[in-house]
Amino acid sequence: MFRLSLFSGFQLEDLAGNTIKLRTRKAQLLFAYLCLYPRMDHSRERLIDLFWPEIPLDKADNNLRQAIHTLRPVVEAGDISRGSILMAKQGLVRLELPESVSFDVQQFERKLKEGLRLSGEAKA
């Protein structure tokens, strides 16, 4: 579906290499955060505290709704049913990512763990 890079600055591409723009920086940050913690339920309150702590709750909740609205067409494009990848209901938000997603931070973490494991084996 897409590739997400954070090490070189936020860059989102489809698998054909086309750049996908998100309207706001907060939508980018929210998407990156949800990608860092996929398949995990995040309370709306926690997300609001993280991304909009300086503004009144009703306005912050509206900003979160707008960010989710911005993300939906990106992650649920084409014939993907609404809510199957970006779940937002009952006060929770969760991003379900297919295994085909390429995310540089997760790739780095896997390589780091592998290197640490191999380093430990070499010392033994």
Side-chain angles (χ1 to χ4, degrees):
M1 263 177 55
F2 52 86
R3 291 183 202 102
L4 175 60
S5 299
L6 294 182
F7 287 128
S8 58
F10 187 93
Q11 185 173 4
L12 185 60
E13 298 177 339
D14 64 18
L15 293 180
N18 301 311
T19 299
I20 299 169
K21 301 278 186 189
L22 294 176
R23 288 188 323 201
T24 67
R25 179 82 172 130
K26 294 285 182 153
Q28 291 176 350
L29 293 171
L30 176 62
F31 186 68
Y33 180 80
L34 293 173
C35 285
L36 283 170
Y37 303 100
R39 297 184 180 96
M40 194 171 144
D41 288 332
H42 305 276
S43 73
R44 293 181 71 85
E45 292 82 12
R46 175 71 178 133
L47 295 174
I48 287 169
D49 285 345
L50 281 172
F51 296 105
W52 297 278
E54 71 285 352
I55 63 175
L57 183 59
D58 60 333
K59 193 169 190 168
D61 188 58
N62 187 52
N63 287 352
L64 178 58
R65 287 178 199 277
Q66 288 177 348
I68 291 169
H69 181 74
T70 297
L71 294 177
R72 273 203 198 282
V74 171
V75 299
E76 296 176 344
D79 61 352
I80 298 172
S81 63
R82 183 177 180 198
S84 63
I85 295 178
L86 181 57
M87 188 279 299
K89 62 181 178 180
Q90 299 176 342
L92 299 173
V93 178
R94 181 177 63 238
L95 189 64
E96 298 286 348
L97 293 175
E99 299 306 317
S100 62
V101 171
S102 174
F103 183 32
D104 64 352
V105 172
Q106 290 172 334
Q107 293 168 353
F108 176 78
E109 287 175 340
R110 278 193 298 270
K111 294 290 185 183
L112 180 62
K113 286 177 185 175
E114 181 182 325
L116 292 171
R117 182 184 56 79
L118 291 173
S119 174
E121 288 176 6
K123 292 179 183 177

